[in-house]
Amino acid sequence: MAKLWAGRFKKETDQAVNAFNASIGVDQRMYREDIEGSMAHAAMLSRQGIITEEDGRQIRLGLQSILKDMDAGAISLTPEQYEDIHMANEQLLTERIGEAGKRLHTARSRNDQVALDLRLYVRREIGEIAGQITELLEELCTLAEANAETVMPGYTHLQRAQPITFGHHLMAYANMFRRDAKRLENCLEGMDEMPLGCGALAGTTYPIDREFAAGELGFSRVTDNSLDGVSDRDYCMELCGCLSILMVHLSRLSEEIILWCSWEFKFVELDDAFSTGSSIMPQKKNPDVCELIRGKAGRVFGDLQTLLVMMKGLPLAYNKDMQEDKEAVFDAIDTVKACLEVLTPMMATMTVLPDNMRAAARKGFLNATDCADYLTKKGLPFRDAYRAVGELVAICIETGHVLDDLPLDQYQAVCPLFEADVYQAIDLKTCVGERKSLGGPAPDEVRRQIQKIRAFLESRKSE
Ligand code: ARG
């Protein structure tokens, strides 16, 4: 098929070049945004008297019919026929409505067109991802509420450190995902500028009304410099940056679930529907979903890297290198959505095993700090208390005890300040319950944290 830009060429495009140059395979998923942008453009053109009312009307009707057929999957978009989605829609329009279709591209370039389409696409996808994060946060709050008193070991260096609750641990993740949601909101707010009307690079001589088109498309402002407007992909890098950080969080959570599912921990068991088996080992139940999320994090980091490197050497304004942006952006979006899609129901259906968590918390001297604090509260300086408990731990290790069952005379031999109430003070329930400091694991404090996340979600709903 003859190219829309065929005028100055004497030869057909080489077949390999055609295949190499075409981006329709990738950018066809923006058909809706491309049509939406063209509708607004056409409305603006006719409103400004740049095209007639009748042409404007024809164009809009034509675009609506294309949209309907695209939605129904009734149009095949091959690279032999169409270079990219922008050309495809324009060619289809002209096939359908004739002369008027050829007027659509007045005062516009594919450079501002693609810049607009991608913004519209990213804007919609950010909304979807934010919705998925909301669902995950709601699930984390539900789980944390049910486990506000479920004692588990807290770790540093993957060594048992101090007692916390499963609810407290989950709320750590909730805070990470709350920040992710906020970061995406910020990205959305920063990219809320419409590039249409920047033309190829230098604006246009036509009396366009960019503000009108921006209003039609739901943008708060227009981009303020035409060169920047067509060559700005900051929001793509920013989005991939946000998604990369989100993937870091998803990957860390996945890693912990993988650990928790192991026989070594056995803190949770995944539902059969969210686990997979082995082809040879009949006993296996593997957390493949988590491993895949952990693995896929790298893809999203790679997408960010692709964009950074793609942009860093480009002179202004548009360069074809930028056609590569979409694959990276789409991949990052698809990957994150796919991960969230399975993670939330996986968490909702997993079985928490509180007895195993508590049993693990009994070993590893998680209450050693509390034992030292007991002495400190009796007036001993913390350093001396620390040392005394260190000695007690050494005795326990030698004699096969835990602090909870070490006889009182042994305690008193190390420090005469110990009395019978030490056992109560180092009871795991006490240890957790007394950690009421803001942000700590005490059940009521965790409930406050849950409330705060829920208030965040609520404030987003009403916006
Ligand atoms: N398919 C192109 C892209 O994705 C559209 C813009 C092409 N503009 C141009 N002047 N070649 O970037």
Side-chain angles (χ1 to χ4, degrees):
M1 171 168 305
K3 297 274 186 300
L4 290 178
W5 39 259
R8 63 104 70 212
F9 290 84
K10 296 204 169 62
K11 278 189 181 175
E12 288 270 313
T13 317
D14 179 88
Q15 269 195 2
V17 170
N18 205 48
F20 187 64
N21 186 51
S23 57
I24 187 80
V26 173
D27 59 31
Q28 57 178 277
R29 64 158 84 187
M30 302 194 304
Y31 72 87
R32 237 178 270 128
E33 289 71 23
D34 192 68
I35 290 175
E36 192 188 347
S38 288
M39 294 268 210
H41 183 62
M44 184 279 291
L45 290 178
S46 63
R47 191 166 180 271
Q48 295 299 100
I50 302 169
I51 61 173
T52 63
E53 283 286 330
E54 180 52 21
D55 281 348
R57 201 181 65 83
Q58 295 259 338
I59 289 173
R60 284 199 300 281
L61 286 176
L63 288 172
Q64 269 160 13
S65 80
I66 296 171
L67 180 61
K68 206 165 139 241
D69 291 348
M70 290 267 194
D71 279 341
I75 301 175
S76 90
L77 297 166
T78 63
E80 291 74 38
Q81 270 182 299
Y82 306 111
E83 185 179 328
D84 56 27
I85 189 61
H86 325 293
M87 294 300 217
N89 279 331
E90 193 183 330
Q91 277 169 241
L92 287 162
L93 180 69
T94 304
E95 276 163 32
R96 290 187 183 197
I97 67 166
E99 207 62 11
K102 293 196 256 171
R103 297 190 197 279
L104 169 63
H105 211 54
T106 314
R108 187 176 72 170
S109 156
R110 260 191 303 164
N111 296 351
D112 56 349
Q113 189 177 355
V114 70
L116 170 68
D117 292 2
L118 191 53
R119 269 186 210 244
L120 290 172
Y121 187 86
V122 165
R123 188 172 76 178
R124 182 158 64 86
E125 292 292 339
I126 287 181
E128 294 204 4
I129 293 171
Q132 287 183 302
I133 296 178
T134 299
E135 284 169 22
L136 175 58
L137 281 172
E138 278 164 359
E139 185 50 47
L140 286 171
C141 287
T142 307
L143 260 179
E145 195 162 50
N147 289 283
E149 312 208 0
T150 308
V151 173
M152 75 178 272
Y155 298 80
T156 62
H157 312 270
L158 203 55
Q159 301 287 319
R160 289 178 196 168
Q162 290 178 340
I164 56 169
T165 66
F166 190 50
H168 186 232
H169 199 114
L170 292 172
M171 288 317 286
Y173 282 100
N175 276 283
M176 296 180 216
F177 296 125
R178 170 187 53 79
R179 290 196 297 276
D180 289 318
K182 187 78 190 124
R183 250 187 295 275
L184 285 170
E185 277 175 24
N186 291 345
C187 176
L188 205 51
E189 151 48 37
M191 64 177 280
D192 186 15
E193 297 180 350
M194 189 204 67
L196 192 65
C198 290
L201 73 159
T204 177
T205 55
Y206 293 95
I208 58 171
D209 183 349
R210 297 187 63 203
E211 254 98 20
F212 170 78
E216 291 287 284
L217 293 165
F219 283 98
S220 314
R221 343 178 253 287
V222 297
T223 57
D224 206 40
N225 176 286
S226 63
L227 288 169
D228 180 46
V230 287
S231 61
D232 171 24
R233 296 292 184 272
D234 288 5
Y235 64 98
C236 297
M237 295 182 270
E238 210 174 321
L239 170 70
C240 286
C242 295
L243 297 184
S244 291
I245 299 174
L246 170 58
M247 285 305 297
V248 170
H249 299 154
L250 291 174
S251 180
R252 292 184 75 178
L253 176 55
S254 297
E255 166 63 14
E256 297 220 81
I257 297 173
I258 292 165
L259 287 174
W260 295 337
C261 286
S262 70
W263 282 106
E264 283 71 13
F265 282 77
K266 266 288 167 261
F267 288 177
V268 301
E269 181 162 353
L270 295 180
D271 191 78
D272 280 0
F274 288 87
S275 321
T276 44
S278 154
S279 64
I280 171 170
M281 297 167 279
Q283 85 283 13
K284 288 299 283 289
K285 180 169 171 182
N286 295 329
D288 287 30
V289 166
C290 301
E291 294 166 59
L292 274 170
I293 294 174
R294 192 177 58 184
K296 282 175 190 294
R299 288 176 70 127
V300 179
F301 308 162
D303 293 325
L304 171 61
Q305 188 71 0
T306 297
L307 293 173
L308 293 171
V309 177
M310 182 196 81
M311 290 304 291
K312 84 173 193 57
L314 295 186
L316 297 181
Y318 178 85
N319 297 270
K320 191 74 168 204
D321 314 45
M322 289 158 76
Q323 179 163 285
E324 292 288 310
D325 60 1
K326 280 164 243 40
E327 245 174 302
V329 168
F330 296 165
D331 184 70
I333 290 171
D334 291 349
T335 304
V336 162
K337 284 171 77 178
C339 292
L340 287 167
E341 173 94 26
V342 287
L343 179 79
T344 304
M346 187 192 74
M347 302 226 31
T349 52
M350 76 186 184
T351 308
V352 181
L353 302 168
D355 292 347
N356 294 352
M357 290 185 184
R358 201 175 318 108
R362 271 184 60 77
K363 289 191 211 130
F365 305 102
L366 290 140
N367 47 7
T369 314
D370 303 84
C371 191
D373 289 342
Y374 168 88
L375 291 177
T376 312
K377 282 170 194 159
K378 298 212 165 195
L380 203 64
F382 180 75
R383 258 315 138 226
D384 297 335
Y386 175 99
R387 206 197 138 76
V389 177
E391 281 174 37
L392 287 171
V393 168
I395 293 168
C396 284
I397 291 170
E398 247 167 63
T399 58
H401 279 101
V402 291
L403 287 171
D404 310 63
D405 60 19
L406 189 71
L408 187 59
D409 56 347
Q410 303 246 34
Y411 271 99
Q412 289 168 336
V414 169
C415 176
L417 287 176
F418 280 117
E419 288 168 79
D421 60 353
V422 67
Y423 297 105
Q424 175 60 30
I426 62 165
D427 182 79
L428 285 178
K429 236 180 142 161
T430 318
C431 298
V432 168
E434 288 304 309
R435 295 192 132 70
K436 297 181 201 138
S437 54
L438 196 82
D444 279 342
E445 173 48 30
V446 169
R447 288 183 192 110
R448 184 200 60 77
Q449 295 167 32
I450 296 170
Q451 243 353 83
K452 198 162 173 190
I453 294 292
R454 287 195 167 139
F456 170 80
L457 293 176
E458 217 34 61
S459 71
R460 270 32 195 193
K461 257 186 225 159
S462 54
E463 258 172 25

